[in-house]
Amino acid sequence: MRVTEVEEFLRNPPTGFSVEPLGSGYRVRSSAESLVLIDAFESCCGKIVFHNSLGRKVKMHNLWEYTSMRKNLLSKRIFLLTSACEENVTESNEKAARETRVPKQYVVSIDGKEPFIKWQMERGLDWTISSVAGESYRVNIDLTKELESWAEKNITDDLMKGKPVWRDASFTLKYYSDALFDFPHWFGFSKRTFKLRLK
């Protein structure tokens, strides 16, 4: 797993990426060898748009789209955006109010073809499909635990006060079947999550 601050990513993009400055931010282009799952977002550098991104929530409507997405997940380096947040709880009129500050945003990448990651994703996707056969479903692939481990070694106290709370440390695949009455999906029973772990 590689974790890069957004500002550093824009200054020194990895191989296969190019950054184009715009009047109000940046446009980032990527090659077909990367799978980018990042929505447009605002940062201290302005609005950042990843031109060839599928977005954090990928929708699939048929077997061909699912097969293509699965192949990409298991053969490319995957990029997503996550935020390390600080939460302050303050007492106000008998209620605890949470104030969230986002001091740092990171581009996280994992290698989908790395054997251990590939095995986990294959197993997680197979488990999802077998448990909701013939239905629509949503599956979240979650990297929170790995980012927590990374933060313990790499985020110092002078950068953030306390332990960061990770926001958007996952991406979602949504499959829509053509079933006429897809009650389990409507009522939220076909939602699955698996946590991706590194060695």
Side-chain angles (χ1 to χ4, degrees):
M1 182 174 72
R2 296 179 196 159
V3 183
T4 310
E5 290 184 27
V6 167
E7 294 82 358
E8 176 60 27
F9 187 94
L10 295 174
R11 279 194 303 268
N12 186 23
T15 303
F17 285 81
S18 63
V19 177
E20 177 187 352
L22 303 173
S24 58
Y26 295 86
R27 179 185 294 128
V28 182
R29 298 181 187 274
S30 59
S31 67
E33 283 72 44
S34 301
L35 179 60
V36 181
L37 304 173
I38 300 176
D39 297 317
F41 66 99
E42 292 286 343
S43 78
C44 60
C45 305
K47 186 172 184 178
I48 315 297
V49 177
F50 281 77
H51 187 67
N52 301 327
S53 174
L54 296 175
R56 180 179 301 281
K57 297 179 181 178
V58 182
K59 295 179 181 178
M60 303 163 291
H61 295 90
N62 54 51
L63 184 59
W64 183 87
E65 289 179 355
Y66 166 78
T67 303
S68 177
M69 185 63 196
R70 181 180 174 120
K71 181 180 178 182
N72 286 334
L73 284 171
L74 302 177
S75 64
K76 296 183 178 183
R77 180 161 281 277
I78 302 161
F79 292 81
L80 65 150
L81 177 81
T82 187
S83 302
C85 305
E86 289 179 352
E87 281 193 352
N88 295 323
V89 180
T90 57
E91 295 295 330
S92 171
N93 295 335
E94 302 176 2
K95 285 189 175 180
R98 286 188 181 273
E99 295 178 2
T100 303
R101 193 173 76 88
V102 184
K104 286 292 177 182
Q105 292 175 300
Y106 298 91
V107 176
V108 179
S109 71
I110 55 171
D111 187 357
K113 62 182 181 292
E114 193 277 328
F116 186 61
I117 292 175
K118 183 175 180 178
W119 172 76
Q120 287 181 85
M121 284 203 287
E122 285 180 324
R123 188 178 66 163
L125 293 171
D126 289 345
W127 165 71
T128 299
I129 293 172
S130 65
S131 62
V132 292
E135 302 169 7
S136 299
Y137 63 85
R138 186 177 81 186
V139 57
N140 295 316
I141 296 92
D142 191 349
L143 289 164
T144 303
K145 288 290 184 189
E146 290 306 320
L147 285 167
E148 288 174 349
S149 297
W150 176 86
E152 287 176 3
K153 301 170 188 171
N154 294 280
I155 294 185
T156 57
D157 290 338
D158 58 339
L159 184 63
M160 292 190 72
K161 297 173 184 176
K163 188 176 179 182
V165 176
W166 292 95
R167 180 187 294 169
D168 299 326
S170 65
F171 58 94
T172 304
L173 307 180
K174 294 181 175 183
Y175 181 83
Y176 295 96
S177 76
D178 56 2
L180 196 56
F181 299 105
D182 203 349
F183 296 114
H185 181 69
W186 295 348
F187 292 111
F189 299 130
S190 52
K191 295 178 183 177
R192 303 287 183 268
T193 297
F194 65 88
K195 297 182 185 300
L196 205 58
R197 299 300 302 266
L198 307 182
K199 291 182 180 179

